[in-house]
Amino acid sequence: MIVRLGYVAMSTVVENASPSRTMTATSFAKIADREAAVRKLERLAAENLHNTLRLLRHNRAHDIQLYRFSSRLIPLIGHELLADWDPIPTLADEFRTLGDYAKEHGMRVSFHPDHFTVLSTPREEVLRSSVEDLRRHTRMLEAMGLDDRAKCNIHVGGTYGDKNKAGERFIRHFQQLDDAVRRRITLENDDKTFTALETLAISERVGAPMVLDVHHHDVNPGGETIFSLWPRIAATWTGQDIPPKIHMSSPKSEKDPRGHADYVEADKLLAFLRTAAEAGTERLDVMLEAKMKDSALFKLMEDLGAIEGIALLDQSSFELRA
DNA sequence: ACCTGTCAAGTCTGG
DNA sequence: CCAGACTTGACAGGT
């Protein structure tokens, strides 16, 4: 089995390269010259996109082909103060440059809209802003010139006291989305609400691939084992032209088991990989969610290199031999 | 240069 | 019905 590792949004190695610089709504509102304030937002956004390009170059230098963009590339986008502002066309060149670079180097990139994007909501206005948020993420990927393999990963959402009804609402709302948005969505199991099995059932109903978060499953297993679920989860990726993706992280502490630790334990990844290999999975992409970001990736590669049965292929991918 | 409090979102819990 | 917790990186304002 061939495994590629990736990380999320920012680097702990590259300095002064935040892809998430922002401005508060309060300070935006305080600027008397609205035109100037909007230009400032656009400068911040352009800076975020440029830093993202710097991160992609860093990734290239370290053979990292799996990366999740920050969902805060454009500050205050979607805020009610900026309802008539559409910065995506303004930033077309920056987006295109990013997408071209990612394509040129075979990178698999994605977004993960914040937890405030909830399709299971019963509230009309929350649904509307969630749909708008998904549209914006889709438009950014389109502006990069990336096809449907560049995904937007989301959770099913809240349960509102009735998980079945919430799940049905999610499915209904999902099916009302534009095709272009729907085709990019992947669903991730949650650490509090929808378990892996519940998320999987919804994934199968709506035809969206499922991203298994192993840590979330450990915290919220719902009586299931990964061993029994993985073949079905892997099957949701059939026909996608990209390997299944999982999220991997280690618990922060016993006191805070839901939190993310600085690094990722090799043993835990290895245990999962053996399960996946047994189910016949040949390629897998593993997104690391660790506080130390790319440093955690480098450390994990180091740890994996010392394990028998693992052959490092480059700085960020390896083969697990049967 | 550094520290502390605040921010932005939606849901859930406790009062 | 409302305040606070949750989460996280970064702002904003103070020293």
Side-chain angles (χ1 to χ4, degrees):
Chain A
M1 176 167 50
I2 308 285
V3 181
R4 296 190 295 184
L5 302 182
Y7 70 99
V8 177
M10 58 181 289
S11 169
T12 56
V13 177
V14 185
E15 290 180 5
N16 301 313
S18 169
S20 314
R21 292 204 56 202
T22 187
M23 191 195 295
T24 63
T26 313
S27 61
F28 174 84
K30 272 189 204 156
I31 300 172
D33 183 346
R34 193 187 144 89
E35 286 284 308
V38 169
R39 280 198 302 274
K40 189 170 174 184
L41 287 178
E42 288 173 355
R43 273 201 309 276
L44 278 172
E47 188 185 334
N48 288 338
L49 292 173
H50 179 69
N51 280 339
T52 302
L53 180 61
R54 290 175 57 210
L55 292 169
L56 291 189
R57 289 180 183 138
H58 163 69
N59 294 348
R60 161 87 180 112
H62 294 278
D63 308 316
I64 298 168
Q65 291 195 307
L66 187 66
Y67 175 72
R68 183 203 297 165
F69 294 121
S70 163
S71 270
R72 299 168 192 214
L73 292 172
I74 303 178
L76 294 183
I77 193 168
H79 195 283
E80 56 177 10
L81 287 173
L82 288 140
D84 57 344
W85 179 51
D86 185 7
I88 297 177
T90 313
L91 297 161
D93 289 346
E94 287 85 349
F95 277 118
R96 177 59 69 166
T97 303
L98 268 181
D100 286 349
Y101 192 88
K103 274 189 284 191
E104 187 184 343
H105 298 292
M107 293 174 176
R108 178 180 184 175
V109 292
S110 62
F111 275 120
H112 193 351
D114 277 324
H115 275 65
F116 317 117
T117 291
V118 264
L119 293 182
S120 69
T121 185
R123 295 167 57 193
E124 198 63 43
E125 68 278 18
V126 174
L127 177 64
R128 201 176 54 241
S129 57
S130 296
V131 171
E132 283 308 310
D133 194 41
L134 287 170
R135 282 215 183 97
R136 281 192 299 269
H137 281 92
T138 297
R139 287 178 58 221
M140 287 192 278
L141 293 171
E142 287 170 351
M144 293 182 205
L146 299 172
D147 63 28
D148 294 342
R149 289 174 297 180
K151 302 291 187 188
C152 292
N153 183 51
I154 58 171
H155 294 257
V156 177
T159 59
Y160 315 87
D162 188 332
K163 208 182 260 187
N164 282 322
K165 276 189 184 157
E168 291 302 320
R169 247 190 333 263
F170 176 95
I171 290 165
R172 201 165 62 242
H173 294 158
F174 184 98
Q175 287 165 343
Q176 288 165 2
L177 295 170
D178 295 343
D179 207 40
V181 174
R182 213 164 42 207
R183 284 197 307 262
R184 292 191 190 263
I185 292 181
T186 60
L187 299 184
E188 176 184 348
N189 57 304
D190 197 270
D191 58 354
K192 280 183 167 167
T193 57
F194 288 83
T195 65
L197 178 60
E198 290 159 351
T199 305
L200 174 59
I202 293 172
S203 272
E204 290 171 342
R205 281 275 298 278
V206 301
M210 173 172 162
V211 172
L212 173 69
D213 187 308
V214 177
H215 181 222
H216 290 171
H217 171 76
D218 288 343
V219 181
N220 184 23
E224 300 294 329
T225 65
I226 284 182
F227 187 79
S228 67
L229 294 177
W230 179 250
R232 272 176 70 190
I233 294 172
T236 64
W237 290 92
T238 304
Q240 287 288 331
D241 202 28
I242 35 177
K245 182 165 70 178
I246 65 163
H247 290 177
M248 184 66 65
S249 51
S250 291
K252 184 169 187 166
S253 64
E254 275 186 37
K255 207 183 73 183
D256 180 14
R258 290 177 46 244
H260 289 160
D262 289 356
Y263 296 94
V264 177
E265 302 297 326
D267 287 352
K268 187 173 166 176
L269 173 60
L270 202 59
F272 175 82
L273 296 180
R274 298 211 190 281
T275 298
E278 210 164 313
T281 301
E282 289 175 350
R283 297 192 66 93
L284 188 73
D285 286 339
V286 179
M287 185 64 77
L288 304 179
E289 294 186 328
K291 203 168 177 189
M292 291 304 288
K293 309 289 179 185
D294 49 344
S295 295
L297 187 156
F298 299 137
K299 181 174 185 301
L300 182 59
M301 283 297 289
E302 216 176 291
D303 295 345
L304 289 166
I307 294 173
E308 199 169 337
I310 286 185
L312 303 187
L313 301 175
D314 57 30
Q315 297 173 78
S316 148
S317 69
F318 60 92
E319 181 172 8
L320 174 75
R321 306 224 161 101

